Amino acid sequence: MNIACLGWGSLLWKPDPLPVSGEWHADGPWLPIEFSRIGDNGELATAVCLNAPAVQVFWALLAVDTLEQACEALRQREQIPQDRNDGVGVLIAQGSPVGPLAEWAQQRQIDAVIWTALPPRSANNEGLVPTIDDAIAYLRSLEGEKREHARNYLAQVPQQLDTPYRRAISQQLGWSG
């Protein structure tokens, strides 16, 4: 079974323990991704954000035998608790699914696609999409190691993920990314 994982954040430069087979490919599907999730380490992480314009994400095949193994590996990598049902997204592309993601997978002979499905998070509220002003104010409030970590996170996300929040952070805070 060919199982692909989609990526748009730290999975790209720090995938362990996710069993990525080969390299990350830059020709993934177009998805609405934004710097909209305050991460556990303080960074303003990328997440699927339905209010965002689509950007082309990355993908890699996984060295696993089953979809269950793939989902469990992503769950462990992202430190998603077992009792949380919304952390891993799955599309099975076998059969006759429809839609752009299914078409993208079928063109590449991918049987299933998984991705991190944690929602945006702001002000400790899961699912709350921060405004650009909220995101900038949050990043401005960071100090020391947390601020440096957040700046490094933004810098490591590939330029291909050019989003409105990224441009605003670069303009208003002077962070290159």
Side-chain angles (χ1 to χ4, degrees), residues 4 69 72 154:
Q69 289 173 343
E72 183 56 29
L154 181 77

Side-chain angles (χ1 to χ4, degrees), residues 69-86:
Q69 289 173 343
C71 291
E72 183 56 29
L74 184 57
R75 179 181 300 284
Q76 287 179 14
R77 166 32 178 101
E78 298 288 31
Q79 300 176 352
I80 300 167
Q82 286 289 338
D83 61 347
R84 184 165 185 166
N85 295 323
D86 67 342

